[in-house]
């Protein structure tokens, strides 16, 4: 499906329509689908088909409209106005495909590729992953008792990938592994990161494969709360302390970063339990100078900025780490002297 008309759409961005119109891609039917409500997201059940007609566009199903009559008239007038453009778009004539906005419109029917239900988990969105993963369920029926619930892993770092560049990885709580005896296209260290990712999200991934009422947005919403959530602890002289919930590295640590770029220019990884740097596999691993060490110590000894928490920034870091990770730090641990950080 293409987002044809919507506030901010690249195709008709200045529309006065209060609702969203969709057009099926590579479907030669002269039909537009109107979102039959005013919600931001659609389930697919709230779309109704309207004929693309130059003189009298009309509903193609007998449904109760969940939009105002005056708004529906705007839709019909839009179709009359844009008739030739819409017909050309249906036929792929003179259409700039670079402005297309794709969507998995029906959240109850995941994308099907070669007999598999497929949804993607991108390394671009989750830096703890070195490759893209595709969660899929084999919809073919087999006589043997094979595990139909697995992950398809992109087995290469190349941009142009073929189906042969993917390998199958089991969803296993203890030891995710390659299902078939094939050559691994990434290093063992990187594959360990994939295994750790699967272990962290085992329950969710297993549940997802056993139901068909979630889509890729559900995956992103769930994983974002685990993989990319960052806690700003406090800031001083252009630098900030962050604790990243869902960090790939499980050793207790926090980050001291430049506030301007949030760590792209300066990012030091520091242990919680002692005044030592931690060598983070995904970070710059910068070192603090004398003034920065003094600022860090001052920040950690300062009471946490929200009065609902009765403790210092250092104590807040300890508590948040222990809530989110199995590798705990002692609650009685005193703050190290980070002036001696080495």
């Amino acid at each position: 499906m293409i987002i044809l008309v919507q506030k901010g759409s690249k195709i008709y961005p200045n529309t006065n329509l209060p609702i969203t119109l969709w057009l099926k891609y590579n479907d030669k039917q002269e039909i537009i689908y109107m979102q039959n409500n005013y919600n931001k997201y659609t389930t697919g059940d709230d779309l109704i088909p309207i004929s693309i007609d130059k003189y009298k566009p009309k509903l193609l199903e007998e449904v109760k409209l969940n939009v105002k009559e005056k708004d529906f008239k705007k839709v019909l007038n839009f179709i009359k106005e844009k008739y030739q453009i819409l017909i050309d778009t249906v036929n792929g004539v003179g259409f700039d495909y670079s402005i297309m906005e794709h969507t998995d419109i029906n959240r109850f029917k995941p994308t099907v590729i070669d007999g598999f239900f497929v949804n993607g988990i991108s390394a671009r969105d989750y830096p703890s992953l070195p490759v893209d993963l595709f969660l899929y369920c084999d919809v073919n029926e087999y006589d043997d008792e094979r595990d139909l619930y697995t992950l398809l892993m992109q087995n290469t770092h190349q941009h142009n990938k073929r189906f042969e560049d993917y390998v199958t990885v089991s969803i296993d709580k203890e030891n995710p592994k390659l299902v078939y005896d094939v050559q691994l296209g990434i290093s063992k260290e990187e594959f360990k990161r994939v295994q750790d990712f699967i272990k962290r999200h085992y329950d969710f991934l297993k549940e997802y494969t056993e139901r068909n009422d979630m889509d890729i947005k559900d995956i992103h919403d769930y994983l974002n709360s685990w993989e990319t959530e960052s806690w700003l602890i406090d800031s001083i002289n252009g630098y900030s302390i962050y604790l990243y919930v869902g960090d790939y590295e499980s050793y207790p640590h926090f980050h001291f970063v430049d506030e301007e770029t949030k760590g792209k220019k300066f990012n030091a990884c520091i242990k919680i339990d002692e005044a030592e740097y931690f060598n983070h596999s995904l970070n710059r691993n910068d070192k603090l100078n004398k003034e920065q060490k003094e600022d860090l110590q001052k920040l950690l000894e300062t009471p946490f900025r929200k009065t609902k928490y009765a403790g210092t920034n250092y104590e807040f870091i300890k508590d948040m780490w222990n809530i989110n990770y199995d590798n705990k730090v002692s609650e009685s641990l005193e703050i190290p002297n980070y002036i001696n950080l080495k």
Side-chain angles (χ1 to χ4, degrees):
M1 301 287 283
I2 309 169
I3 300 175
L4 186 65
V5 181
Q6 186 182 49
K7 185 178 180 181
S9 167
K10 297 177 184 176
I11 302 175
Y12 295 114
N14 298 319
T15 179
N16 65 348
L17 292 178
I19 50 181
T20 303
L21 295 183
W22 311 81
L23 189 67
K24 272 196 174 182
Y25 175 47
N26 278 346
D27 187 342
K28 298 300 182 181
Q29 297 184 67
E30 297 177 356
I31 297 173
I32 269 181
Y33 291 85
M34 182 182 80
Q35 183 176 328
N36 195 28
N37 60 37
Y38 293 91
N39 295 325
K40 184 177 181 181
Y41 300 106
T42 175
T43 64
D45 292 338
D46 52 23
L47 298 180
I48 58 173
I50 307 172
S51 63
I52 300 176
D53 190 289
K54 191 171 185 177
Y55 302 105
K56 198 174 181 181
K58 60 182 180 180
L59 291 178
L60 297 178
E61 292 179 358
E62 289 188 13
V63 294
K64 182 180 179 181
L65 278 177
N66 194 27
V67 295
K68 297 173 183 175
E69 186 64 30
K70 63 177 183 178
D71 291 338
F72 182 59
K73 286 181 179 179
K74 289 181 182 179
V75 173
L76 299 181
N77 287 333
F78 175 87
I79 294 173
K80 293 176 187 178
E81 249 176 64
K82 306 289 185 181
Y83 169 78
Q84 192 57 53
I85 297 174
L86 295 173
I87 292 297
D88 288 344
T89 302
V90 168
N91 295 322
V93 177
F95 187 71
D96 181 3
Y97 287 93
S98 67
I99 67 174
M100 285 178 54
E101 300 174 44
H102 299 272
T103 179
D104 293 324
I105 184 66
N106 192 339
R107 55 194 288 125
F108 300 104
K109 294 180 182 176
T111 307
V112 178
I113 299 177
D114 292 340
F116 301 111
F117 290 127
V118 180
N119 273 326
I121 303 170
S122 172
R124 177 186 59 195
D125 298 325
Y126 308 109
S128 59
L129 283 173
V131 290
D132 293 341
L133 293 179
F134 295 87
L135 185 63
Y136 76 101
C137 171
D138 189 342
V139 298
N140 298 304
E141 294 184 2
Y142 299 98
D143 294 331
D144 56 4
E145 296 181 359
R146 68 182 67 185
D147 184 2
L148 302 183
Y149 307 111
T150 46
L151 287 168
L152 203 61
M153 185 184 79
Q154 172 195 319
N155 196 27
T156 175
H157 288 287
Q158 298 175 9
H159 292 293
N160 298 320
K161 295 169 284 293
R162 305 160 299 168
F163 196 76
E164 293 81 6
D165 293 322
Y166 295 85
V167 297
T168 307
V169 184
S170 64
I171 299 176
D172 191 289
K173 196 167 189 175
E174 305 299 331
N175 183 31
K177 59 185 177 181
L178 291 178
V179 175
Y180 304 107
D181 186 16
V182 293
Q183 185 176 357
L184 188 61
I186 58 177
S187 69
K188 290 182 178 180
E189 290 75 19
E190 288 179 317
F191 186 57
K192 183 181 182 301
R193 286 163 54 187
V194 174
Q195 291 173 307
D196 289 343
F197 183 92
I198 295 171
K199 291 176 186 177
R200 281 202 302 276
H201 302 293
Y202 170 79
D203 291 335
F204 169 77
L205 294 173
K206 195 69 175 178
E207 179 190 9
Y208 179 87
T209 57
E210 294 171 349
R211 54 190 294 190
N212 62 359
D213 63 343
M214 291 196 291
D215 69 2
I216 192 62
K217 181 182 179 301
D218 296 296
I219 294 180
H220 279 258
D221 285 348
Y222 173 86
L223 294 179
N224 277 337
S225 67
W226 285 88
E227 293 295 315
T228 58
E229 186 177 354
S230 57
W231 287 83
L232 171 62
I233 309 303
D234 211 339
S235 301
I236 189 171
N237 294 330
Y239 291 88
S240 299
I241 297 175
Y242 277 92
L243 181 68
Y244 295 103
V245 176
D247 197 314
Y248 163 68
E249 300 286 4
S250 61
Y251 191 93
H253 67 280
F254 59 89
H255 297 258
F256 188 80
V257 307
D258 72 291
E259 185 56 36
E260 181 184 0
T261 69
K262 300 297 187 292
K264 291 182 179 178
K265 288 184 178 179
F266 186 94
N267 193 329
C269 187
I270 301 165
K271 294 181 179 180
I272 295 175
D273 55 349
E274 52 188 324
E276 289 185 2
Y277 292 106
F278 176 69
N279 188 31
H280 198 292
S281 60
L282 301 177
N283 268 19
R284 291 174 51 90
N285 294 311
D286 293 303
K287 308 297 181 186
L288 278 64
N289 59 32
K290 183 176 182 293
E291 182 180 352
Q292 290 170 330
K293 291 177 183 177
E294 292 172 351
D295 285 344
L296 172 63
Q297 190 71 27
K298 180 179 178 180
L299 276 187
L300 292 173
E301 293 174 353
T302 301
F304 185 62
R305 53 197 166 83
K306 293 186 178 180
T307 54
K308 288 183 179 180
Y309 181 84
T312 64
N313 285 328
Y314 180 74
E315 290 166 334
F316 181 79
I317 289 174
K318 285 194 305 178
D319 288 346
M320 288 303 100
W321 181 274
N322 287 340
I323 288 172
N324 290 282
Y325 290 91
D326 292 331
N327 188 14
K328 312 291 185 187
V329 293
S330 172
E331 294 182 4
S332 61
L333 181 66
E334 296 291 331
I335 181 172
N337 184 357
Y338 287 102
I339 302 295
N340 299 325
L341 186 63
K342 58 182 179 179

